[in-house]
Amino acid sequence: MVTRGKIDVEGRLVDASNVTLFCKIELDGVTGNVVYKPVSGERPLWDFPDGTLAGREVATAMVSEAAGLGAIPPTVLRDGPFGPGMVQLWIETTEEELVDVRSPESLPEDWRVVLHAHDRDGEPAVLAHADRPGMRELAVLDIVVNNTDRKGGHVLAGADGRIYGVDHGICLHTDPKLRTVLWGWIGEPLTETEIGKLRGLRERIDGELGEALSEHLTGFEIRALAERADLLLAEGVFPEPGDDWRAIPWPLF
């Protein structure tokens, strides 16, 4: 349906930095909803080539699917009412918060603290996130795809019980740019399952996946993806932020 369905625009998501449209999609009498981001509505960035964000969203979804890391809604690059763009299945969500800024006393026991701070009244506050397998896999995926914009609002609690990652337009740069709110596992060893998935991904990058990614990424970007996977496998632990790049996105949500 996402690939071939007829798209009708119903509204715009005004909080997004690029043109992001909420649409109805229909194919053979079956209907659903999608998010459509036309390439023509992408805001130019100083560090990413113009017109490449939609392809990066698709490429990130391809990496996630090939590795079995994290859950990204079905995502394709196709024509729409305003020209070529990224089309992604709309996910119904619950009201469950997975990333939040709270007082230390109100933090659930199973949450991971990312940052200590103070609120506008000077009271202690923490940036923290839930500790769930689905979120941990998204954190591994972010490291590999070099996600520079994992905000709290980009982690969704699906009504189907899965945890989804969305908004991957500024991923897969060749330079280190990891910027995320999911820093809660710094220094912890990767699990055998995570290592196995990374090894499988690494093999696929040298094969059919790498060829498919070439439709959206440069050869240098694909090579950088492989090198990040190699480095993460060699170190075997969740990395810590570097000193040469702001490690947490702003705004946080």
Side-chain angles (χ1 to χ4, degrees):
M1 177 186 292
V2 176
T3 302
R4 298 188 294 113
K6 181 180 181 295
I7 296 173
D8 291 312
V9 176
E10 296 197 334
R12 179 173 178 178
L13 305 181
V14 297
D15 291 337
S17 56
N18 298 295
V19 174
T20 302
L21 304 172
F22 178 76
C23 306
K24 179 180 178 181
I25 192 167
E26 185 272 334
L27 180 66
D28 297 333
V30 179
T31 63
N33 295 111
V34 295
V35 173
Y36 165 48
K37 299 181 182 179
V39 173
S40 60
E42 292 180 5
R43 178 172 55 89
L45 299 172
W46 68 270
D47 53 348
F48 283 82
D50 293 350
T52 67
L53 305 191
R56 293 175 191 279
E57 291 228 41
V58 175
T60 300
M62 292 167 64
V63 172
S64 171
E65 182 177 7
L69 280 172
I72 296 178
T75 307
V76 299
L77 185 66
R78 54 163 290 185
D79 283 331
F82 298 102
M86 188 281 300
V87 177
Q88 185 175 81
L89 186 67
W90 177 267
I91 296 298
E92 296 298 331
T93 63
T94 70
E95 296 183 357
E96 181 182 11
E97 296 289 348
L98 297 172
V99 182
D100 205 358
V101 175
R102 303 185 181 187
S103 66
E105 294 78 12
S106 66
L107 199 67
E109 291 185 3
D110 61 343
W111 276 43
R112 300 278 184 136
V113 173
V114 173
L115 180 69
H116 292 270
H118 292 84
D119 63 20
R120 65 184 62 187
D121 297 320
E123 296 298 323
V126 293
L127 169 65
H129 60 73
D131 187 358
R132 307 281 182 81
M135 295 182 68
R136 182 178 165 116
E137 284 202 354
L138 280 178
V140 176
L141 177 69
D142 285 347
I143 296 165
V144 174
V145 301
N146 198 19
N147 191 350
T148 191
D149 195 36
R150 177 64 77 196
K151 293 182 172 69
H154 299 171
V155 182
L156 307 179
D160 60 0
R162 303 182 74 188
I163 295 174
Y164 290 90
V166 297
D167 288 317
H168 300 104
I170 47 178
C171 292
L172 296 159
H173 201 284
T174 56
D175 299 335
K177 291 179 178 288
L178 181 60
R179 188 162 55 192
T180 175
V181 295
L182 301 180
W183 285 111
W185 298 279
I186 290 175
E188 293 194 10
L190 298 175
T191 66
E192 288 299 320
T193 298
E194 292 160 350
I195 290 172
K197 290 183 176 184
L198 286 169
R199 287 175 176 161
L201 171 64
R202 186 62 187 85
E203 293 176 0
R204 292 179 178 90
I205 293 173
D206 288 336
E208 293 183 359
L209 176 62
E211 294 178 7
L213 289 173
S214 66
E215 297 183 15
H216 308 292
L217 304 174
T218 67
F220 291 111
E221 289 167 338
I222 296 171
R223 176 47 48 190
L225 169 66
E227 291 173 351
R228 287 190 297 269
D230 286 339
L231 180 60
L232 187 54
L233 282 167
E235 295 185 343
V237 299
F238 282 85
E240 62 183 29
D243 296 328
D244 54 349
W245 185 258
R246 180 162 52 88
I248 296 177
W250 188 263
L252 298 172
F253 299 91

